[in-house]
Structures are given as C-alpha cells and as structure tokens.
C-alpha cells in the first residue's frame, strides 16, 4: 500500500490518540499531531509516534472543540499536499471534520472501517444502510478528511524516549462561534470495552435494573467487562453510554462476546462482528441473534446465568 506525504491527526479523547497516530503512521510518511492541552499532552503525542506536534494551547473552558477549526485549517492549508486528516469518531471530532471540510474544500468520510492510499486519492470504506453494507468512497481533494471508527487501528505503544519541540499555533477566532457558558460534570465511566478480551452484554431480557447484578456476577466469574444494548443505555438509562455496544456505540473485538437477553438486531450485531466467538442466551428460539452466534442457549437467562456462574466457579 502506498503512503501519503503527510497525515494530520487530532483527538479530543485522550484514549483515542494512540489509535489515530498508529493509523497515521501506517498511511503517511509523516505524522503531524494537533494537541489541545498541557505540555504533558504534547509529550504524550511525541511518545505515541508523532513526528511533529502543533500545540493549540491549553484547553479553554469557554471554547468548544469546533472553535479550533479555523486555527487548524490555517496550519493544514500551509502544509504539504496531498494530505490526510485523521480523527476518531467522537461527537466533537465529527463536528470538527465537517467544519474543516468547508474551510479546506476537502472531502469528508465518517465512520470509516478501512482506509487505503491510492495514486488518485484516499479510498475509504464505511458502513451504510445501518451497517448492512460497506460503502466505498474515494476522496480526490488535495486534503482528505476521514473520521475513523473505534478499533480500526491497534493503538501505538508509547515510548517516552521519543521527544520533540512543539510548534505553537495561534488561536484564530471564528467569525461565528459557539461559546460554552457552563459545564456540568456527567456521571462517567472508566470502562474501555475496546480493550476487553471478554465482554458480557445485557439487553431487554433483563427485567429490571436491580437484576443487572447477575450479569455483573457472571463478569466476575469470567474476568469480563459488562456491556449492553442500546435500549439499556439510551432507553432505560440503566447503564452508561460508554457500555453501549452497537453501530453508533462501541464496536469491541473481544475473544468472547456473551449476549444475555439481546434479540440481535442488525445495528447491534454489526457492532460485535469483530468478536472471535459470539455466545447468545435468549428464551426466544427464533431470536435473530442465533443466526450470528457461534454458540446459543435457548432458555431463561435468570436460570441459565446462575448455572453458568456455578460452572465457571467450579
């Protein structure tokens, strides 16, 4: 696979930076990282493998991430061409990508699952029709902007011996900007399902929030992380969104994915198609998930899960 001369990277989520830098190193001759934060954040970008770091300054609580679009566009416009801008599929980065596309007259592809550099442009494959198919887009503008889905690239290992001097980037005030008036801390989660080797997920088969405890007990017996389907996180709001598995949530690639009371709608199953082994427990023998599962148990999860816990403990 050929490489592009320069790949710019940015991530508003610190956990995704090693991933996009690793992808940039595979796709480009040079990796240039934009960093918004402290000098420690700058040092981490170098440690992850960035050849050059452009420091946007310390984070300003009155500015949203998209406010830095003009500042970044000015630097990219002066850089080497052709170029690729690579960002993770966070909400803020998607908004930033659209603004950069306008400023740089660049083609934009979101939720990319595969990226390749070809002689006449950047080829990106992304999910369409709710994950039923992969669409193929080729961006031929001098700057291509691609928002990459989680798990597409393995994170780069950090090497503290890699250092450098960052270039300071002056803030360019947008003509029309959104001002952040107030920030409220939300109940977050430190879980990262992308790193889990085993994942147990719950769906509508769980009757009430208190019953999540049996799934947690199974996780403890298996050494697994707990995930869920969309209705549990966004409908019932019984669990954090960081644990929601699906096409618009987390797309983990565990060794084992155990689905409890999940029907198996396509939006969910696309999110777990990277799992090595899928095990399903559902009392409905006609549940769609059995078409995707490597192993299936037809039964009431309230009876099956305790039996599994006892078996694993034994």
């Amino acid at each position: 696979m050929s490489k592009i001369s320069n790949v710019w990277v940015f991530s508003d989520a610190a956990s995704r930076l090693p991933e996009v830098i690793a992808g940039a190193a595979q796709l480009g001759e040079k990796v240039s990282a934009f960093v918004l934060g402290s000098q420690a954040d700058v040092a981490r970008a170098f440690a992850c493998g960035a050849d050059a770091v452009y420091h946007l300054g310390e984070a300003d609580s009155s500015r949203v991430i998209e406010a830095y679009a003009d500042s970044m566009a000015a630097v990219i416009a002066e850089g080497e061409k052709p170029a690729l801008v690579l960002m993770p599929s966070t909400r803020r980065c998607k908004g930033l990508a659209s603004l950069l596309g306008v400023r740089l007259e660049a083609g934009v592809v979101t939720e990319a699952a595969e990226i390749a550099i070809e002689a006449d442009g950047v080829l990106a494959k992304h999910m369409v029709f709710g994950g039923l198919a992969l669409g193929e887009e080729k961006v031929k503008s001098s700057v291509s902007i691609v928002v990459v889905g989680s798990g597409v690239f393995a994170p780069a290992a950090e090497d503290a011996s890699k250092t450098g001097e960052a270039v300071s980037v002056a803030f360019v005030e947008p003509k029309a900007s959104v001002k952040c008036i107030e920030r409220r801390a939300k109940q977050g989660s430190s879980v990262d399902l992308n790193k889990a080797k085993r994942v147990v997920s719950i769906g509508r088969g769980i009757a009430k929030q208190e019953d999540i405890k049996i799934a947690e007990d199974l996780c403890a017996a298996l050494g697994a992380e707990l995930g869920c389907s969309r209705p549990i996180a966004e409908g019932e709001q019984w669990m954090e969104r960081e644990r929601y598995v699906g096409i618009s949530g987390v797309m983990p690639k565990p060794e084992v994915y155990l689905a409890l009371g999940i029907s198996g709608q396509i939006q969910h199953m696309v999110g777990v198609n990277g799992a090595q082994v899928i095990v399903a427990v559902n009392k409905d023998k006609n549940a769609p998930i059995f078409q995707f599962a490597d192993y299936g148990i037809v039964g009431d999860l309230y009876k099956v899960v305790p039996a599994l816990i006892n078996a694993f403990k034994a």
Side-chain angles (χ1 to χ4, degrees), residues 58-266:
E58 298 279 346
D60 187 330
S61 61
S62 67
R63 297 173 185 159
V64 295
I65 296 297
E66 294 90 328
Y68 293 88
D70 288 324
S71 306
M72 295 169 66
V75 176
I76 295 169
E78 295 297 321
E80 299 173 65
K81 306 292 188 305
L84 167 66
V85 180
L86 195 64
M87 294 186 286
S89 58
T90 65
R91 292 184 180 182
R92 289 300 183 196
C93 281
K94 289 177 185 177
L96 180 61
S98 64
L99 292 174
L100 288 175
V102 173
R103 304 294 191 273
L104 297 166
E105 296 184 348
V108 179
V109 178
T110 60
E111 301 296 349
E114 296 179 33
I115 307 171
I117 308 301
E118 299 191 347
D120 58 343
V122 175
L123 184 68
K125 294 182 179 180
H126 64 125
M127 287 179 287
V128 294
F129 304 122
L132 290 172
L134 278 178
E136 191 172 272
E137 311 286 348
K138 181 171 285 187
V139 183
K140 297 186 177 182
S141 48
S142 61
V143 178
S144 305
I145 301 171
V146 179
V147 177
V148 65
S150 63
V152 173
F153 299 108
E158 295 185 35
D159 182 353
S161 68
K162 296 178 180 178
T163 60
E165 288 293 326
V167 177
S168 294
V169 178
F171 179 70
V172 179
E173 188 72 42
K175 292 180 181 178
S177 62
V178 174
K179 296 293 183 183
C180 180
I181 305 300
E182 179 186 3
R183 291 181 184 269
R184 297 180 184 178
K186 77 169 187 176
Q187 197 172 28
S189 172
S190 60
V191 68
D192 186 352
L193 294 184
N194 288 313
K195 296 180 180 178
K197 292 186 177 181
R198 303 179 187 89
V199 175
V200 173
S201 273
I202 58 172
R204 289 184 181 275
I206 291 288
K208 55 185 183 294
Q209 188 172 7
E210 293 76 12
D211 295 343
I212 294 175
K213 179 67 168 57
I214 64 170
E216 292 174 340
D217 291 342
L218 180 57
C219 285
L222 278 173
E225 286 286 359
L226 182 63
C228 65
S229 62
R230 184 173 183 173
I232 299 299
E234 295 192 345
E236 302 293 347
Q237 297 184 350
W238 288 347
M239 295 177 65
E240 310 96 320
R241 197 180 189 283
E242 290 83 357
R243 295 185 185 272
Y244 153 41
V245 176
I247 189 172
S248 55
V250 183
M251 299 177 67
K253 298 181 179 180
E255 294 175 0
V256 178
Y257 184 79
L258 177 52
L260 306 177
I262 293 176
S263 63
Q265 297 302 312
I266 191 64

Side-chain angles (χ1 to χ4, degrees), residues 266-290:
I266 191 64
Q267 291 82 1
H268 182 82
M269 299 315 301
V270 168
V272 298
N273 63 7
Q276 294 180 28
V277 176
I278 298 176
V279 182
V281 177
N282 199 296
K283 64 182 179 181
D284 180 5
K285 66 178 181 180
N286 296 315
I289 196 167
F290 289 124

